[in-house]
Each structure stands twice: as structure tokens, then as C-alpha cells.
Amino acid sequence: MTTTMQASKPSFIGRVAIRTNLSGKAQARHRMVVTAAAADRKLWAPGVVAPSYLDGSLPGDYGWDPLGLGSNPKALTWYQQAELQNGRWAMLGVAGVLAQEIAKPDVFFYESAVYSSKNLPFGMNMGSLLAINFLLMHWVEVRRWQDIRKFGSVNKDPIFGYEVPNAEMGYPGGPFNPLGFGKDNMKEMQTKEIKNARLAMIAFMAFIVQAQATGENPLAALKAHLANPLGENILTNLGKCVIPATSEVAGIVIPTPCLWPGQ
């Protein structure tokens, strides 16, 4: 006899509905297992129901997709990989901004490209540096796109000949994991990485907004806030924009608009 069981009592992740052919004591035992499994999964808010396509298998999956962007399986793979790559760049960017301020506090990170363009090696200028970056990034991103289209198709490097294990998309391993992190707890390490990546993306955006509003590096702005919490904070700086509308680098005029209209 086919029956429907529903763990309708709100839990930390919401409700779970299943169909089964069990009956009597077997139904009760199955209901307990389902409820326990549901309670073990953390979602972004108590009592919410995760979309069916966010089943907890992805690192950092807490059932958050209000716009349904990942409802298409191919789109979900793309967005998951895009988040991972952008998060990794954000972690490098945040670390770089802070390291630069510690090493050269007199250089405003927002204008560091202008400073760097005057100190490039081998007689290069900003144009040649941008061209090199474009070619390298294009090559890497095209290979990453090929890996998404056909997983494992670009495991072997065409120039140096080495091959990466690439057991899971986005985690090539080999020379990209020289210390062997995650051998025994890969899912845990992946979750920690994506959490830090998301935090870094928010932090980098905050660095940009703060730089536009105050014209200061992050640590300098933090020092000013700690010295005068009521006078230097997000509310007192809302709507301010102290950076110029454009910046000239090696003869190239680059628009530098603020994220909100300045005063």
C-alpha cells in the first residue's frame, strides 16, 4: 500500500516530503531517519525550504537562490564555478590590498596602477602589461570553459606536459594543491574555502566603496573609525565620492565612476 509521509514539523531546514511503500513500524522508523537527516542540514535561515536542485551536495550550499538562477543544471554548474573562481580572485585581491598598504602605506591602492605603471620592468608600459594579462587570462578562462563543457578534457598541459588529477571540477589538485590539503576532509576544506571566498568578495566591494567615499586605504579608514566611531562610519560617509571621475594611465583615460552619486 502506497502512502505519503511528510515531516511537516518545521525544523532548521523546513519541510521534507517523500513517498514510500513502507507501513506501520517501518514508516515510523523511516520518518525518524528523514527528520534526523533534515535536521542535520544547515540552511540560510531557520524554517526555509531549499530548492530541489540545491540538495546540499555542493560545498557551501545553504539553499540560497531566491531568483532561481541555478534551476537549470548547466547554469548551476556555471554559477558554482564562477562563484568559486571570483571568490579565489577576491581572496587574492583582499590580501594584496592589505599587504600593499602595510608595505607602502603612502600609496593609495585605488591608484596603485598609476604608481605601478611608472615602475614596470623591462621597459614595459601599462599597455603592454594589459596585453599580457589579457592573453594569459583568455587562455586560462577558455580552458576552464572547455573543462565545464567536457569535464577532464584539459587535464594535460599542452606546453609543459604535466597532468593534473582533477578528480572534481574546480579542484584540479596536483601542483595546485602542493600541501595536499583535503586528503581526509575534502568537503570540509571546500566549504571553508567558499565561505572565505564569499567573505572576500564582500570585503573587496567594501574596500572599493570605502576608498571612493574617503580616499583612504582600508587600514587607514579603520584607524580613523576607531579614533572617532561616531564621526567616521558608513552613515556619515554615505553619498560621498572623493575620487576623480577619470584616471589617466600611460596616456589612457579610464573612467572611475563611484558606485553611488557623490556630493
Side-chain angles (χ1 to χ4, degrees), residues 2 7 19 29 32 49 107 131 156 160 166 170 180 190 209 227 255-256:
T2 302
R19 287 190 178 274
R29 286 196 300 270
M32 291 175 64
V49 179
V107 177
K156 189 172 183 179
F160 301 103
N166 200 21
Q190 290 173 337
V209 173
T256 53

Side-chain angles (χ1 to χ4, degrees), residues 37-135:
D40 287 340
R41 187 185 172 193
K42 296 179 180 178
L43 290 191
W44 64 274
V48 300
V49 179
S52 59
Y53 51 87
L54 295 181
D55 57 6
S57 59
L58 295 175
D61 173 12
Y62 295 100
W64 170 259
D65 187 16
L67 300 180
L69 299 177
S71 57
N72 182 296
K74 291 184 178 180
L76 179 60
T77 300
W78 174 262
Y79 283 126
Q80 188 260 341
Q81 291 300 308
E83 180 188 39
L84 183 60
Q85 299 306 319
N86 280 281
R88 287 169 175 170
W89 280 114
M91 288 189 284
L92 287 172
V94 167
V97 168
L98 295 177
Q100 175 251 288
E101 182 176 2
I102 293 172
K104 294 184 177 294
D106 57 316
V107 177
F108 182 31
F109 90 90
Y110 209 85
E111 300 174 345
S112 58
V114 178
Y115 176 85
S116 299
S117 66
K118 300 176 182 178
N119 299 275
L120 294 175
F122 310 115
M124 291 193 303
N125 57 26
M126 184 57 66
S128 58
L129 182 61
L130 290 175
I132 293 172
N133 283 341
F134 175 81
L135 291 174

Side-chain angles (χ1 to χ4, degrees), residues 19 30 33 70 91 109-110 131 162 168 195-196 200 217 229 261:
R19 287 190 178 274
H30 202 165
V33 171
M91 288 189 284
F109 90 90
Y110 209 85
Y162 68 81
E168 186 176 347
K195 283 183 176 180
N196 282 281
N217 284 323

